[in-house]
Amino acid sequence: MQSDQSRRQFLKDGFIISAGAALAVMDPMAALAAKPARKVVVWSEGTAPKNVYPNDVNTAIAEGLKPLKNWEVVTANLNELEQGLTQELLESASVLVWWGHQKHGDVKDELVDRIVKRVTEGGMGFLPTHSGHWSKPFKALMKDSGSWDGGYVEDGSKLDLIVADTSHPIAKGITDFVVPHTERYSEPFHVPKPDDLVFNGKYTKPDGSTEMSKQGLTWTVGKGHVFYFQPGHESYPIYFQEEIRHVFRNGVKWLRNGK
Ligand code: ZN
């Protein structure tokens, strides 16, 4: 835990040193451009099965965010100091991505309060995914249960991910695609009316019947935005799929910039 903090500090110090060195040899505009101005923190609780996610979900999502230019991508997890999210790290984050499942109840209420404040007052973007719909920060931001009242079935259904709002920045460059196997979350989704429905979904169950379910929705909460993205059950390698990673890159960029 401590070593992780030290590593973070080292990386930060290392960056400051290299930025200073760059200033000496580069013109100021170029030096400014070299500085990663934005930070996304990808948080998970560390419970995903190792045979699917050897380094947990946060690392898989973070890998997919690496191509983002001018973004620093940081992973954090529940088992680290201050549950992975120190005040300093939260304050410096433009966007927080959240995956939790079994340990929602372990997340401390004071951390939840800090996250909510960062979103509503500081404009930090929040991207809960899959079972993150039941995370404390999401429920607090929605002021609602966040439940999928139709239930949850892990039967390996196929998911057709459908772009519902082709003009939305989160859908940029994305056309309808297939997630081969997923867990089904069934409507209704107990949340406030979203600003945008970006992605819809059609499940094809093992018996061949189909069912529709919303997959990507956005809200404005105070000064910040929230983007919930449903795919991501831990038994399937969904966060390694390139189309899914594309959605996360677009989502992170949009959450910082807004409309
Ligand atoms: Zn699941």
Side-chain angles (χ1 to χ4, degrees):
M1 281 179 238
Q2 190 53 45
S3 66
D4 235 284
Q5 283 303 113
S6 311
R7 180 171 55 84
R8 228 177 243 151
Q9 194 57 42
F10 169 78
L11 287 171
K12 200 175 156 221
D13 292 342
F15 173 71
I16 289 163
I17 290 160
S18 63
L23 270 171
V25 292
M26 295 164 78
D27 69 76
M29 284 311 287
L32 212 62
K35 183 185 176 188
R38 300 137 192 197
K39 183 186 290 179
V40 51
V41 178
V42 189
W43 187 98
S44 64
E45 61 179 30
T47 58
K50 294 268 181 263
N51 62 332
V52 184
Y53 291 100
N55 299 304
D56 211 47
V57 166
N58 58 350
T59 307
I61 294 176
E63 271 173 22
L65 294 174
K66 267 187 195 159
L68 283 175
K69 288 193 179 74
N70 256 339
W71 279 82
E72 185 185 353
V73 183
V74 177
T75 57
N77 78 70
L78 182 66
N79 304 312
E80 293 171 338
L81 187 71
E82 294 191 43
Q83 304 200 309
L85 295 168
T86 61
Q87 181 76 23
E88 190 192 8
L89 183 60
L90 261 187
E91 286 299 327
S92 67
S94 306
V95 176
L96 175 62
V97 178
W98 192 279
W99 188 96
H101 179 215
Q102 299 169 16
K103 299 198 170 183
H104 294 314
D106 292 1
V107 177
K108 290 182 181 144
D109 290 335
E110 64 245 39
L111 173 57
V112 176
D113 291 344
R114 290 213 306 266
I115 292 167
V116 168
K117 209 170 160 199
R118 272 291 292 139
V119 174
T120 57
E121 295 178 19
M124 181 181 76
F126 185 60
L127 199 171
T129 180
H130 191 60
S131 34
H133 72 92
W134 258 340
S135 65
K136 285 184 179 179
F138 181 62
K139 291 194 290 186
L141 285 161
M142 293 292 103
K143 295 191 169 76
D144 211 332
S145 71
S147 294
W148 287 91
D149 289 344
Y152 310 82
V153 181
E154 186 193 350
D155 60 4
S157 286
K158 183 183 87 160
L159 169 65
D160 284 291
L161 210 295
I162 299 158
V163 179
D165 183 350
T166 53
S167 66
H168 200 285
I170 299 179
K172 194 178 176 191
I174 294 169
T175 50
D176 297 357
F177 64 94
V178 172
V179 177
H181 301 288
T182 194
E183 176 184 40
R184 285 188 282 117
Y185 284 3
S186 294
E187 304 270 0
F189 186 23
H190 215 284
V191 284
K193 191 179 183 306
D195 295 341
D196 310 294
L197 171 65
V198 187
F199 301 108
N200 217 330
K202 184 179 85 176
Y203 299 123
T204 304
K205 304 175 196 176
D207 67 4
S209 63
T210 61
E211 177 185 325
M212 299 299 290
S213 176
K214 298 181 193 77
Q215 302 293 317
L217 310 92
T218 73
W219 297 264
T220 306
V221 189
K223 288 185 179 171
H225 292 95
V226 175
F227 170 49
Y228 171 74
F229 190 56
Q230 201 213 100
H233 185 62
E234 66 274 12
S235 301
Y236 309 111
I238 293 171
Y239 296 120
F240 292 105
Q241 190 175 335
E242 180 46 36
E243 294 100 327
I244 295 284
R245 290 179 158 188
H246 193 166
V247 171
F248 273 84
R249 289 194 292 273
N250 285 356
V252 164
K253 281 196 282 187
W254 180 82
L255 280 166
R256 180 177 184 271
N257 298 328
K259 293 189 182 186

